[in-house]
Amino acid sequence: MVFLRSAAGDDPRHCLWVLDVEEGRERIVVDAAALDLDAGPVPEAELARRERVREAASGVVDYAVDRDARTAFFAYAGDVWIAPLDPGAGAPRRLDVRPGPVFDPRPDPSGRWVAWCSAGALWAAEVATGGAACLAEGGDRLWGVAEHVAAEEMDRANGYWWAPDGSGVLAAAVDESAVRTVWIADPSRPERPPLRRRYPLAGTEDADVSLWYCATGGTRREIPWDRGTFPYLVSVTWPAAGGPLLLVERRDHRAAAVLSADVAAGSTVVVEDRHDDAWVAWPRGTPDRLADGRLLWSSDAGGTRRLTAGGEPVTPGGLQVRAVHAVGDGGVLFSASSEPTSIGAWRWAPDGSIDRLTDGGVVVAAAAAGGTTVLAERRLERPDQRTVVLAGDRTLALASRAETPSVRPQVRMAAVGARELRSGLLLPSGHRRGDRLPVLLRPYGGPGAQQVLASDAIWLEDQWWADQGFAVVVIDGRGTPGRGPQWERAVHRDLAGPALDDQVDGLHAIAAAEADLDLGRVGIMGWSFGGYLAALAVLRRPDVFHAAVAGAPVTDWRLYDTYYTERHLGHPGEDPGPYDRCCLLPDAPALARPLLLVHGLADDNVLVAHTVRLSQALVGAGRPHGVLPLSGITHMASEEDVAESLLLIQLDFLRGALAA
């Protein structure tokens, strides 16, 4: 079993490790500290990839292995590195290839070839000789990469896929010439030119993405489909048998289709399609093809997201499928919830049986291959992640090198109010009954992410805030995952109303049961969608919320990307109403509560223009507020000194704002 782990909880550098399942012994394969002797700058394309996947570590942050897990490949300081995984097989070595710098190196299943992206071109080399050849370049297109909305919104971080026999790759060709250009400057370094980014604002042109088969022998042919109807290439899967599968989607998100591709003929046929009046949805990791040839996908019938095989549901009603992690001869490894606060691991077998592999807690990662299953799980009862390896009748556990947290969350989770909103309440350690507490809501509250989960780690920062003297409240409202298709689609055409109403209703329901919550002193803080929700709260419900910290908030949805925004609000050129209703700028004159806006100036996900425009509107309306710009910080404020200082600055603001 191959995995990444840092040497200790205070070391951000990932190393590559192997667990010998038969011997039960771990050994390090790539020591990041040793590689740092030859480290160079991280290429800009790799930095952009890490930003999209929210990777904050250094060292070996990503890798790929051949089919038999004999060799690992990874990028480091712009070079391709090869690491033999068998004991005594030698040290990691740099593959001397040009041009560079490289990113996203991945081998073909046999391990004979390795491909990578460099300067908009897709290259491949024979591992034994190092002889490199360009598979695709030019034509004003970027080859083998994921465009912005694919990496940020579709969970597709890659742009090329190897054939099972290593004869070639399917490569995305991305034409961004029609995509709006945005410029991201660093005001603290005026001598530096701004960075140029292609960013598809809602209602504007997307990247034009096509798919090509590029043989290692040099031939190339397009794999066509009706791109006029289905412009989004959401995923590509190339099973060992049966040919590639493409998942394509209409721009309005109301239709999607699975296509089977014939790379020899250069053609595709529709295998299965879906339609929905709001948007089509499916679990991450689907579609795929089962060993018997049936298509593995999903359906949203009857209020449950279920797996389907050959179009027929194979998982029970009430079990909400979250993601598929592995598909093989032994069946399908997937994660699912019958209660949204707990995400378990399950296995469905071709004979129709379903086995639950975990009980309670939250599965944060899962994988299976070669008869071995790996489950990484967090629980409320323990502060660290437990990673178990199931191989036949053996169960092994990886050693944890995590730091012991300085706080122990004491969270009370409950379903509150008429909509049974999943919530968490945390009080200061040693709180005495009768001591009235200011309240601090810390929501995300938007589509695609949950906070109320049976995992200790999720509540660590919330407990820290509670220990500063707050009653901390966290609520997952409508639109958040885990409660079924209708719950997720309840925010269709309105990202403001349901989300804000659920925070208010949940707060009042919790306060009715906990008398120590002082509803005369209520603050709210959040980041990204949570920042939008925090600003929305003080602007539209000052009767409930008395202060807010809005981090990296979306303030005008016309400034966010096409894929996410149009999925929920539609096309602004066809119906501007939802955008007008959800925009914060017209609410600026209504601000009557303290508001602190925080934004990274290098953010290329939620552009800093969101905060600047809201601040301009507030100044124009004569409404006092605070703005905290973070120089050089992206959408992840993960730098240690910045993260620590930001906590203390926000704490000082909220204490002062809620003192009155």
Side-chain angles (χ1 to χ4, degrees), residues 519-539:
L519 294 187
R521 294 180 293 160
V522 178
I524 182 171
M525 65 184 302
W527 196 267
S528 198
F529 191 96
Y532 167 71
L533 188 49
L536 179 73
V538 290
L539 287 168

Side-chain angles (χ1 to χ4, degrees), residues 549-568:
V549 177
V554 176
T555 63
D556 182 352
W557 289 99
R558 290 175 175 86
L559 285 177
Y560 200 59
D561 70 51
T562 52
Y563 191 87
Y564 179 98
T565 313
E566 293 175 17
R567 176 189 185 95
H568 299 105

Side-chain angles (χ1 to χ4, degrees), residues 414-423 475-478 483 487 501-503 505-506:
V416 301
R419 287 185 288 276
E420 297 186 334
L421 302 165
R422 298 319 193 259
S423 67
I475 299 165
D476 283 343
R478 282 168 287 178
R483 290 192 62 175
W487 184 264
D501 289 347
D502 285 350
Q503 297 299 314
D505 292 350

Side-chain angles (χ1 to χ4, degrees), residues 38-403:
D38 298 320
V42 179
E44 184 178 321
E46 170 62 13
L47 288 175
R49 187 197 68 81
R50 295 183 187 185
E51 178 69 21
R52 299 282 76 80
V53 299
R54 307 296 189 261
E55 177 59 74
S58 59
V60 182
V61 299
D62 193 24
Y63 69 95
V65 299
D66 56 351
R67 182 189 295 116
D68 297 327
R70 307 295 296 276
T71 309
F73 299 77
F74 61 95
Y76 193 79
D79 292 316
V80 177
W81 284 75
I82 303 174
L85 300 178
D86 291 336
R93 64 183 177 90
R94 182 190 287 112
L95 186 65
D96 188 15
V97 297
R98 295 294 181 269
V102 310
F103 75 101
D104 195 22
R106 284 180 281 130
D108 83 287
S110 71
R112 177 187 172 190
W113 295 88
V114 60
W116 66 89
C117 299
S118 178
L122 180 63
W123 292 74
E126 284 194 279
V127 174
T129 65
C134 184
L135 298 182
E137 66 176 340
D140 295 326
R141 290 175 287 192
L142 304 174
W143 290 87
V145 301
E147 72 276 19
H148 177 91
V149 295
E152 185 66 48
E153 311 295 1
M154 299 180 194
D155 288 327
R156 176 167 68 79
N158 301 319
Y160 71 91
W161 301 266
W162 274 104
D165 61 1
S167 60
V169 299
L170 282 173
V174 179
D175 181 356
E176 295 184 318
S177 59
V179 178
R180 187 74 57 90
T181 297
V182 299
W183 302 90
I184 299 175
D186 183 355
S188 71
R189 303 296 297 270
E191 74 279 7
R192 291 185 177 179
L195 297 175
R196 182 187 184 191
R197 293 285 186 267
R198 296 287 191 174
Y199 190 101
L201 302 172
T204 67
E205 291 296 320
D206 271 304
D208 180 23
V209 181
S210 55
L211 191 68
W212 298 72
Y213 175 66
C214 306
T216 52
T219 61
R220 192 169 74 201
R221 70 178 61 91
E222 186 175 4
I223 308 300
W225 74 91
D226 183 2
R227 293 194 288 125
T229 302
F230 297 101
Y232 288 132
L233 177 64
V234 179
S235 70
V236 176
T237 306
W238 203 332
L245 294 173
L246 284 56
L247 177 58
V248 296
E249 190 179 9
R250 217 163 64 190
R251 177 156 175 169
D252 67 4
H253 300 271
R254 293 178 177 177
V258 179
L259 313 177
S260 178
D262 185 330
V263 297
S267 62
T268 57
V269 296
V270 177
V271 178
E272 200 170 313
D273 58 15
R274 291 276 188 275
H275 297 80
D276 189 271
D277 290 340
W279 64 75
V280 180
W282 51 84
R284 181 167 48 87
T286 64
D288 207 330
R289 185 178 283 113
L290 299 171
D292 60 12
R294 287 181 293 169
L295 177 70
L296 177 75
W297 204 16
S298 66
S299 73
D300 280 354
T304 303
R305 182 153 299 141
R306 305 169 69 181
L307 288 181
T308 60
E312 296 298 322
V314 296
T315 53
L319 184 65
Q320 306 288 352
V321 175
R322 303 295 197 99
V324 168
H325 303 282
V327 179
D329 294 340
V332 178
L333 175 66
F334 66 97
S335 53
S337 301
S338 52
E339 156 58 40
T341 60
S342 176
I343 305 174
W346 303 71
R347 179 179 285 115
W348 173 80
D351 63 6
S353 62
I354 297 180
D355 295 322
R356 183 168 186 166
L357 306 181
T358 57
D359 184 21
V362 175
V363 172
V364 295
T372 298
T373 299
V374 183
L375 303 173
E377 184 185 44
R378 289 191 177 275
R379 292 176 174 269
L380 282 174
E381 309 87 60
R382 54 184 301 158
D384 60 340
Q385 174 179 296
R386 182 170 183 260
T387 304
V388 297
V389 182
L390 310 175
D393 58 356
R394 303 193 65 196
T395 300
L396 305 171
L398 289 184
S400 173
R401 302 194 176 192
E403 292 286 329

